[in-house]
Amino acid sequence: MALRCVSCLSRVQVRVWSVLSRAAAGCAAGPVRNPTLRRQEGGIRTITLNDPKKRNALSLSMLTALRADLLADIDSEELRVIIISAEGPVFSSGHDLKELTSSQGREYHRQVFGVCSEIMTLIQEIPVPVIAKVNGVATAAGCQLVASCDIAVATETSTFATPGVNVGVFCSTPAVAIGRAVPRKVVMEMLLTGEPISAHAALLHGLVSRVVPEEQLDQQTLAIAQHVCQTSRSVVALGKATFYKQMALGRETAYGIASAAMVDNLALRDGQEGVQAFLGKRKPVWTHSTEKVSE
């Protein structure tokens, strides 16, 4: 059968041919490195930023992969806690500056910052705790990622910075998360100078929750995650959601929200199980469901 020229092919055929050609070229060049790695065991999901050669920059592909890893089977009762870690000496250097040049265009830039902001919000909206495990440098959006997590454990040699001002791009979006974790004057100094702070300064100012020797990072992060796994998923989910909701409100309104949440918590089957187990001096048996025993 005679070969047809490309101009005789349908547009769909041409697109398919193009995709197959790129895939073949990719195979010839060797395996493509996944921007993230995901594994789960014993209720603990670990997501590893996996592009150390690019300092684990939060490129659009990295952000897209991270979003998918966070959302995968998010409602499964088997999932209790998520740990975000990184390969190499840099936790994350922030956005990939090659994606922020004018040649990419404003619409692409909107997409990058839109997806990034979605992920930072998502971390605090999903029903399980998210722990940042930091061993190295976390700058700009990488520092934002640490600030967005519910818990952050860092090694003694880790550093944190928002250096965008030094390359003409003020770290406005990182400031949203960092400014809600760190005192205003501290974050403003970080933003205006770009100078890094140490892990111990980050602990002092509330950016991280624990600083440990490097050789203890895995053990202590895992210990926190395992403690979470011993609690009720439904109780934790309600508590986490209530915490972030009330933090954005005035004191009186916050107490109203929190009081209502306590009543809802006690109506949960696991809420009553915990109370009865304590009174009966026994270990609770969690269902992890949102089933209520009373209205």
Side-chain angles (χ1 to χ4, degrees), residues 54-72:
K54 291 187 176 180
R55 297 165 60 86
N56 292 313
L58 297 179
S59 62
L60 187 56
S61 61
M62 174 77 83
L63 289 167
T64 303
L66 178 57
R67 178 175 59 187
D69 289 336
L70 288 167
L71 288 174

Side-chain angles (χ1 to χ4, degrees), residues 59-67 95 108-122:
S59 62
L60 187 56
S61 61
M62 174 77 83
L63 289 167
T64 303
L66 178 57
R67 178 175 59 187
H95 291 293
Y108 187 86
H109 296 164
R110 288 192 187 96
Q111 186 178 6
V112 169
F113 292 110
V115 173
C116 185
S117 297
E118 178 188 348
I119 288 170
M120 303 304 168
T121 303
L122 180 66

Side-chain angles (χ1 to χ4, degrees), residues 25-41:
C27 291
V32 177
R33 190 183 188 100
N34 293 327
T36 61
L37 300 174
R38 184 178 83 231
R39 63 182 175 84
Q40 185 169 325
E41 184 178 355

Side-chain angles (χ1 to χ4, degrees), residues 199-212:
H200 287 289
L203 177 63
L204 174 66
H205 298 306
L207 182 58
V208 302
S209 47
R210 189 178 298 193
V211 174
V212 301

Side-chain angles (χ1 to χ4, degrees), residues 84-227:
I84 300 178
S85 64
E87 284 289 334
V90 177
F91 178 78
S92 176
S93 59
H95 291 293
D96 186 347
L97 290 181
K98 291 181 179 179
E99 294 188 342
L100 304 185
T101 60
S102 58
S103 61
Q104 294 288 351
R106 291 172 64 88
E107 192 53 44
Y108 187 86
H109 296 164
R110 288 192 187 96
Q111 186 178 6
V112 169
F113 292 110
V115 173
C116 185
S117 297
E118 178 188 348
I119 288 170
M120 303 304 168
T121 303
L122 180 66
I123 285 171
Q124 297 182 355
E125 289 183 345
I126 59 179
V128 298
V130 181
I131 304 172
K133 185 172 77 170
V134 185
N135 184 17
V137 179
T139 61
C143 189
Q144 178 186 5
L145 179 58
V146 175
S148 297
C149 289
D150 304 307
I151 298 171
V153 183
T155 57
E156 294 171 325
T157 55
S158 295
T159 58
F160 305 85
T162 51
V165 68
N166 295 322
V167 296
V169 184
F170 199 87
C171 287
S172 294
T173 47
V176 175
I178 301 169
R180 283 163 169 74
V182 173
R184 183 176 300 182
K185 287 181 172 58
V186 175
V187 71
M188 283 303 293
E189 182 176 340
M190 292 176 67
L191 292 165
L192 292 169
T193 68
E195 289 295 304
I197 64 172
S198 69
H200 287 289
L203 177 63
L204 174 66
H205 298 306
L207 182 58
V208 302
S209 47
R210 189 178 298 193
V211 174
V212 301
E214 183 175 353
E215 63 272 15
Q216 295 181 21
L217 179 63
D218 290 344
Q219 175 189 351
Q220 294 212 29
T221 306
L222 182 61
I224 295 171
Q226 288 173 335
H227 274 296

